[in-house]
């Protein structure tokens, strides 16, 4: 097995094990942060953390989260939707496509892809949205997929790779649980 494939497999196993046990997996993130510094915010007190952990997602949410974790280490490329590179909404679109739910390739329309979920009810596979000006779809700038234990998998920005990160960062706008429009 090539070294890169072994590394990705090891990272996925570490992240899944941490999510199952509730242990923090921040140290399991892939690669260095390209611009230096730490822009992530610390987690809130225990009483304000989401209850969702690995295995508590919906069946489709688990499928989407599990598939997204197989893409760790692939580069961020603006407007990319795989299989070699992703932007944030391209990764979430493909992950939910693997679960049988169609999403568009834009964070603004993904924001409207299902019901809004409170942070204390977040489950694996739910989409986490980040922006600077409230809940206006045009102002949402980033999306990630919740994987449990206060962590998400996302494609952060140019020069970075698909990685696991804490959901506790500035500008969390809200959570959406995508649904199959045909089933509604």
């Amino acid at each position: 097995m090539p070294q890169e494939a072994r590394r990705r497999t090891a990272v996925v196993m570490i992240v899944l094990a941490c999510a199952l046990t509730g242990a923090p997996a921040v140290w399991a993130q892939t690669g260095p942060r390209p611009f230096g510094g730490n822009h992530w915010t610390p987690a809130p007190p225990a009483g304000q953390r989401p209850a969702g952990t690995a295995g508590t997602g919906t069946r489709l949410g688990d499928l989407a989260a599990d598939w997204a974790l197989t893409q760790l280490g692939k580069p961020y490329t603006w407007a990319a939707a795989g299989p070699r590179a992703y932007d944030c909404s391209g990764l979430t679109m493909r992950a939910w496509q693997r679960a049988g739910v169609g999403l568009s390739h834009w964070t603004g329309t993904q924001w409207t892809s299902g019901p809004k979920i409170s942070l204390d009810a977040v489950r694996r596979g739910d989409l986490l949205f980040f922006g600077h000006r409230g809940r206006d779809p045009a102002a949402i700038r980033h999306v990630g997929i919740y994987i449990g234990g206060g962590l998400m998998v996302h494609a952060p920005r140019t020069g970075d790779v698909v990685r696991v990160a804490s959901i506790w960062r500035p500008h969390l706008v809200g959570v959406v649980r995508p649904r199959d429009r045909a089933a509604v």
Side-chain angles (χ1 to χ4, degrees):
M1 180 184 282
Q3 183 177 5
E4 179 63 20
R6 281 195 308 270
R7 185 189 64 77
R8 276 196 211 142
T9 301
V11 169
V12 169
M13 297 306 293
I14 290 167
V15 169
L16 290 175
C18 290
L20 288 171
T21 63
V26 173
W27 53 269
Q29 296 175 17
T30 59
R33 293 203 170 116
F35 304 111
N38 184 351
H39 69 277
W40 304 101
T41 57
Q48 296 174 9
R49 292 184 185 172
T53 59
T56 62
T58 64
R59 185 180 75 75
L60 296 179
D62 284 334
L63 288 171
D66 290 345
W67 183 85
L69 285 167
T70 69
Q71 305 306 298
L72 291 175
K74 292 188 177 180
Y76 176 99
T77 300
W78 184 80
R84 290 183 171 83
Y86 296 93
D87 68 1
C88 64
S89 59
L91 178 67
T92 55
M93 177 183 74
R94 292 293 182 224
W96 274 94
Q97 182 181 49
R98 290 292 177 139
V101 176
L103 299 176
S104 71
H105 191 177
W106 182 53
T107 55
T109 53
Q110 288 183 9
W111 173 248
T112 64
S113 67
K116 307 302 182 269
I117 305 298
S118 67
L119 194 55
D120 62 347
V122 67
R123 294 182 184 169
R124 287 187 88 236
D126 287 349
L127 300 179
L128 302 150
F129 291 87
F130 302 87
H132 294 286
R133 293 188 323 256
R135 295 172 182 244
D136 173 12
I140 294 173
R141 299 288 182 233
H142 189 62
V143 61
I145 300 174
Y146 188 68
I147 59 171
L151 301 171
M152 68 177 170
V153 61
H154 70 140
R157 64 188 155 273
T158 301
D160 211 336
V161 297
V162 175
R163 66 172 58 242
V164 171
S166 172
I167 68 170
W168 306 112
R169 57 181 276 171
H171 312 296
L172 178 61
V173 172
V175 181
V176 169
R177 184 164 300 143
R179 66 171 174 250
D180 184 355
R181 301 252 186 232
V184 175

